[in-house]
Amino acid sequence: MHLQVRADNTSNPLLQPWSTPYGLPPFGAVKPAHFVPAFDQALLQHGAEMDAIAYQSKPPDFGNTITAFDDSGRLLDRITLLFHNLTASETSKELQAVQLEMAPKLAAHDNAVHMHEGLFARIDALHEQRSTLGLDDEQLRLLERIHLDFVRAGARLQGQKRSRFGAIVGELATLCTQFGQNLLAEESTYTLELHGEAELAGLPDFVLAAAKAAAQQRGLPTGSHAITLSPSLAEPFLTYSSRRDLRETVWRARVGRGAHAGPHDNRPVAARIMALRQEQAALLGYASYADYELHDRMAGTTEAVMDLLQRAWVPAKAAAEVDRQALAAMATRLGQPTPIAAWDWRYLAQKVRAERFDLDDSALKPYFSLEAMVRAMFDCAQRLFGLRFVEQQGIALHHPDARLWEVRDRSEALVGLFIGDNFARSSKRSGAWMSVFRKQSGQAGGTLPIVINNNNFAKAETTLLSFDDVRTLFHEFGHGLHGLLSQVRFERLGGTQVLRDFVELPSQLFENWAMEPQVLQRHARHYQTGQAMPAQLLDKLQQARRFDQAWATVQYTAPALIDMALHALPNGTAVDIAAFEAEQCATLGVPSDIGLRHGLTHFQHLFSGSSYAAGYYVYMWAEVLEADGFEAFTEAGDPFDAQTAQRLLRTIYSSGNRQNPADAYRAFRGRDPQVQAMLRKRGLLPTEQP
Ligand SMILES: [Zn+2]
C-alpha cells in the first residue's frame, strides 16, 4: 500500500515542479485520479510546516512565526486553487467525486491549522505585544489579520466546544458542496425543446442562434432549438418570447431550481446549513450568524446593512408601481391579460423600452461582439493603469475555449497572467466569477498572479453580447485587475482578499467605463460592417440606462433583505427554508410580478460556501463606494484623468488588504463615501423618480 502510494506520487504531476511556461498548471498531464494522493501528500507537508513553526526552539518573532506562516502551504495552495478552478470551470463526474471526498478533509485540515495550539500560542503572544514589536503598517496589518483569522476559526475554544466546532466546519463543507452540485445537476439536465415556428415566435436572431447552439450541446438533432436555465439564454427568452405559456414554463423552471423533492433537493441542505451556522455563531459567542459575519465587514452591524437596503427598497417599490402601470397598459394593447405576472415583466418592459426609447437589445447587440468588448476592457486598463495584454498561443489550458494573455506594465515588465474563459458549457457552473491559479506575493523575489475570469456567454460563430453582458464582462475584469495589479509583500493581504463588502468595489467601479461614451465610440463597432455605433443609438443607450431600475432594485434588494433576516435569526431557531422565504416575501411586500433575483433553494451566494452568507448586500454596499468613487473622475472632468487613476491604483487596485478599507477609501476620495450617488444612479432620489 505504502509502496503503491509512493510509486504513484513520483509520477504525479501535481507533486512535481511545474516546469511549464509561466509555471502554469500542467493541464494536459493532470488527471482526476492525481488529486486525492496529491492532496494527501500536500496536507501532510503543510501540517509538518505548521509543527516546524510551532515547535521551533526560538521564541516567537514576526519573521519566524508570522512571515513563516504566510509563506507556508504553497504546495497545498497550488493544488487547491487548480482543483477549485477545475471543479468550477470544467468539472466531470470524477472531479465531482473527488470534490465530495476532499471537501470535509480540506475543511478538517483548515480547522486543524487554526486550532493548532502551539501555533496559535505564538501568534497570540505576538499579537499581545504588537505595539512594541517595531512593525511597519503592513506587518502590523498582517499580524492582526492572521490573528483575527484564527480567532474567528475557533482558536480560542477549549475542550468539547473545540471538537464540536471542528465537526461543524467539516459538515458545512460537505453540505455546501452538495448544494452547488445539486444545482448543477438540475441546471445541466433541464432542456426545453422548441418545436416549429410557433414556439420560436418573437425570438430575435441572437436568441435563435444561442438556442441552436444549446440544442447541439445537449445532443439534439441539428437545426433544433432548446432553452436551458443558463441566464444568458433563459433571460433573453423571457424578454423576447411572445409565447406567454412558454415564458411561464421557463420562469417556473428557473424559480423552482433546487426545490424538487428527490436527490437534488436543496431545501433540507440549506436548513441544515443554517442550523450549523447558528451553532457555530453560538460557540464563538455571537447572538446570531449575521453578527459573526458582520464583525469582519466594513458595514460592522446588521443595522447598518438594513438601513442601507431600506433606503433603496422603499423608493424602489414606489417607482416600480409607476412602471407597472406602463407595463399593464402595454399588456392591454397587446391583448395580454392583466394584472401582469412575473413571466411578463421582462417581455413587457422590453416593449415599453423599445417604444419609449426606440431601443431594442437586438439592435444593439451587433455592436457588442465579445471580441470587441474584450479589446475595450483591455484598452481601458491601458489608459487607466498602463497595462498591456499580449495574447499567448499554443499553451494548453483547462479547456480549448480559454485564452491566455501576458499582462505587462508601462515599463514592459510582466506583472501577471490573465486567462479569459467566456463561454457557457454544461461542465461549468453558472454565473460569472474571477478566480486565481496563483496569488501575488512580494516575498522571496516575488510571485506573479495568474488570474482567470469566467463568464457564461452563449457561444456562437460571432458571440454578440447584450449591454448587461458587457457590464458583467467589465465587472469580472475589475476583479481580475484587483488580482493582477496587487502589489503587497504578504500573500494573505494580496489582491481580492479584502473584506467582503469592499471586494465588489474594484469590479463594480470598472463597469462605469463600459458605459463611457468615448469607450463605446471607439470600441462598439458593428461586427459585420465595422461601423461605429451611430451617435443616435449611443444617446438612446445612455438615456435608457435608468429604465426599469426599480425592477432591478426590487429584484436585488429583496433577496438581500431576506439573506440578512435569515442569518440574523437568533441561534437555535429552526428554519423551514421554503416557508421562511414565503413569510419574508409577505412581510416585505415583495411584488409577485417582480419576485426575487435568487430564491433560497438556488442562492449559491449564501449556500455554496459561506463567504457571501449574510453578505448579499455587499453589492449595494460596494455600489455606494463605486458610484461615489467614480464621481471623482466626473469631478476631474475626464473618465481617464491620469492623477485620479494613479490615486485609484495606489489606494484601491494595488493595495489589497494592506489597510483598513475605510481608510483606503478615504485616501482615494479625500472623505467618507456618501450614499446619494448610488441612489441617483438608480433614479431613486425623491426628486428624480420617473
Ligand atoms: Zn463581483
Side-chain angles (χ1 to χ4, degrees):
M1 183 68 193
H2 276 278
L3 272 176
Q4 202 186 341
V5 171
R6 226 172 279 157
D8 196 12
N9 286 353
T10 51
S11 61
N12 190 329
L14 293 170
L15 296 168
Q16 307 308 312
W18 290 353
S19 54
T20 44
Y22 314 106
L24 282 161
F27 292 105
V30 174
K31 302 278 172 284
H34 290 133
F35 278 103
V36 172
F39 270 126
D40 287 345
Q41 176 75 28
L43 290 171
L44 278 178
Q45 187 171 319
H46 190 220
E49 289 175 81
M50 296 302 98
D51 289 346
I53 298 171
Y55 304 128
Q56 61 190 311
S57 54
K58 292 187 190 133
D61 63 29
F62 185 83
N64 72 22
T65 301
I66 304 300
T67 308
F69 179 72
D70 192 60
D71 284 343
S72 72
R74 288 291 192 269
L75 177 67
L76 177 60
D77 221 32
R78 183 177 92 163
I79 299 169
T80 307
L81 290 171
L82 170 62
F83 182 67
H84 287 328
N85 280 313
L86 289 179
T87 54
S89 302
E90 181 60 6
T91 196
S92 63
K93 283 265 173 297
E94 294 78 15
L95 282 173
Q96 287 189 328
V98 177
Q99 198 179 13
L100 273 177
E101 180 180 347
M102 286 312 302
K105 280 207 230 173
L106 290 172
H109 176 75
D110 191 59
N111 185 56
V113 168
H114 289 104
M115 294 287 191
H116 196 301
E117 289 186 67
L119 183 59
F120 182 65
R122 292 174 75 92
I123 294 168
D124 202 31
L126 290 168
H127 187 255
E128 281 291 305
Q129 315 153 29
R130 63 191 180 283
S131 57
T132 62
L133 296 173
L135 302 179
D136 65 30
D137 289 349
E138 193 170 340
Q139 290 173 322
L140 183 62
R141 181 84 181 159
L142 179 68
L143 171 53
E144 287 176 342
R145 181 68 259 176
I146 288 176
H147 187 262
L148 187 60
D149 287 343
F150 271 75
V151 172
R152 289 178 61 76
R156 287 213 164 116
L157 296 176
Q158 296 299 328
Q160 246 193 346
K161 287 185 174 179
R162 207 175 163 80
S163 50
R164 180 61 195 143
F165 192 88
I168 292 173
V169 167
E171 194 182 343
L172 275 174
T174 304
L175 288 166
C176 290
T177 305
Q178 188 66 57
F179 189 94
Q181 290 193 358
N182 282 347
L183 214 49
L184 188 62
E186 288 215 338
E187 288 178 357
S188 60
T189 49
Y190 180 89
T191 315
L192 174 71
E193 203 180 335
L194 301 175
H195 302 279
E197 289 301 312
E199 298 194 356
L200 302 173
L203 301 180
D205 285 347
F206 77 89
V207 183
L208 290 172
K212 246 188 199 170
Q216 206 167 22
Q217 262 208 343
R218 291 285 206 260
L220 295 169
T222 314
S224 47
H225 297 83
I227 301 301
T228 67
L229 295 178
S230 161
S232 70
L233 191 51
E235 299 224 353
F237 183 80
L238 290 170
T239 306
Y240 291 103
S241 171
S242 47
R243 282 291 295 265
R244 190 167 193 261
D245 57 334
L246 297 179
R247 290 202 308 265
E248 181 175 354
T249 304
V250 170
W251 185 87
R252 287 193 187 283
R254 274 185 66 69
V255 167
R257 283 172 299 153
H260 302 110
H264 302 307
D265 191 349
N266 270 338
R267 287 168 295 192
V269 180
R272 180 72 186 143
I273 288 174
M274 286 313 302
L276 292 169
R277 283 181 179 161
Q278 291 176 5
E279 198 183 341
Q280 204 176 20
L283 284 169
L284 293 173
Y286 294 93
S288 71
Y289 190 79
D291 283 358
Y292 164 67
E293 284 292 352
L294 268 297
H295 181 80
D296 195 25
R297 300 264 177 80
M298 193 176 170
T301 63
T302 316
E303 291 69 34
V305 172
M306 288 301 204
D307 181 57
L308 173 65
L309 293 173
Q310 286 293 343
R311 285 182 76 167
W313 175 246
V314 175
K317 267 212 306 184
E321 178 52 36
V322 178
D323 292 346
R324 178 176 295 114
Q325 287 166 17
L327 266 50
M330 174 61 80
T332 305
R333 269 188 286 153
L334 294 172
Q336 299 219 353
T338 53
I340 64 172
W343 46 92
D344 298 324
W345 193 289
R346 288 177 181 81
Y347 176 74
L348 295 168
Q350 164 62 16
K351 297 275 184 213
V352 171
R353 191 171 77 131
E355 188 180 82
R356 204 177 280 177
F357 301 98
D358 187 22
L359 185 71
D360 190 310
D361 244 7
S362 55
L364 283 171
K365 278 197 150 207
Y367 295 94
F368 296 136
S369 74
L370 173 62
E371 212 43 51
M373 291 302 104
V374 167
R375 272 199 301 276
M377 72 188 195
F378 287 168
D379 186 37
C380 290
Q382 177 156 36
R383 295 174 74 183
L384 289 164
F385 307 127
L387 295 182
R388 215 158 59 80
F389 289 75
V390 188
E391 183 155 16
Q392 303 299 307
Q393 311 276 0
I395 296 173
L397 298 172
H398 58 284
H399 189 277
D401 284 345
R403 295 165 67 183
L404 176 73
W405 288 268
E406 281 186 351
V407 187
R408 297 193 172 268
D409 69 9
R410 282 197 181 90
S411 66
E412 282 298 303
L414 188 66
V415 298
L417 276 301
F418 178 70
I419 298 172
D421 182 354
N422 287 321
F423 298 122
R425 52 181 174 264
S426 53
S427 55
K428 194 196 248 193
R429 56 164 273 217
S430 58
W433 67 96
M434 167 270 194
S435 177
V436 295
F437 284 97
R438 194 169 67 203
K439 297 173 187 167
Q440 185 266 332
S441 146
Q443 297 295 103
T447 305
L448 298 182
I450 303 175
V451 167
I452 177 169
N453 273 184
N454 276 278
N455 286 288
N456 265 290
F457 303 134
K459 191 177 176 181
E461 205 170 318
T462 304
T463 294
L464 300 177
L465 306 181
S466 70
F467 192 59
D468 275 349
D469 291 337
V470 175
R471 288 180 54 175
T472 303
L473 186 74
F474 272 64
H475 177 101
E476 295 311 329
F477 189 58
H479 284 306
L481 289 172
H482 199 194
L484 288 166
L485 289 165
S486 178
Q487 288 281 353
V488 300
R489 261 184 291 161
F490 304 113
E491 194 187 82
R492 175 64 185 87
L493 301 179
T496 56
Q497 299 173 94
V498 295
L499 299 198
R500 184 54 65 183
D501 45 9
F502 194 69
V503 75
E504 297 298 334
L505 169 59
S507 52
Q508 293 187 182
L509 185 63
F510 205 76
E511 291 178 36
N512 285 283
W513 283 279
M515 294 180 257
E516 266 306 311
Q518 55 167 293
V519 173
L520 294 173
Q521 275 155 8
R522 187 187 289 197
H523 295 284
R525 293 178 172 272
H526 197 284
Y527 78 106
Q528 285 163 324
T529 65
Q531 295 282 314
M533 183 181 285
Q536 208 192 358
L537 196 56
L538 193 61
D539 269 3
K540 287 180 198 163
L541 177 66
Q542 296 292 340
Q543 284 165 21
R545 249 167 54 181
R546 250 195 241 159
F547 178 72
D548 221 17
Q549 276 297 300
W551 174 83
T553 307
V554 168
Q555 266 232 321
Y556 162 80
T557 311
L561 286 160
I562 294 173
D563 163 35
M564 282 316 286
L566 179 66
H567 286 98
L569 289 172
N571 299 329
T573 314
V575 191
D576 175 327
I577 288 297
F580 184 83
E581 182 178 304
E583 274 164 37
Q584 285 292 313
C585 285
T587 311
L588 289 167
V590 176
S592 64
D593 53 7
I594 296 181
L596 309 173
R597 191 181 161 98
H598 302 285
L600 290 176
T601 55
H602 46 263
F603 210 159
Q604 300 221 62
H605 289 84
L606 310 197
F607 298 118
S608 284
S610 65
S611 45
Y612 282 86
Y616 193 54
Y617 78 88
V618 302
Y619 295 96
M620 187 167 274
W621 190 270
E623 195 180 325
V624 170
L625 306 178
E626 160 274 300
D628 186 64
F630 190 71
E631 291 196 349
F633 285 93
T634 315
E635 288 159 17
D638 177 0
F640 293 97
D641 179 68
Q643 270 192 345
T644 314
Q646 186 53 36
R647 207 165 62 239
L648 181 64
L649 173 64
R650 184 166 45 80
T651 57
I652 310 285
Y653 280 89
S654 70
S655 68
N657 200 349
R658 211 162 48 198
Q659 60 178 337
N660 168 306
D663 293 341
Y665 188 82
R666 236 174 268 127
F668 168 60
R669 197 66 172 100
R671 57 164 175 75
D672 285 330
Q674 295 165 358
V675 76
Q676 281 76 6
M678 182 277 281
L679 295 172
R680 190 180 310 124
K681 207 171 162 180
R682 287 181 175 251
L684 297 175
L685 281 181
T687 51
E688 291 176 293
Q689 273 173 31

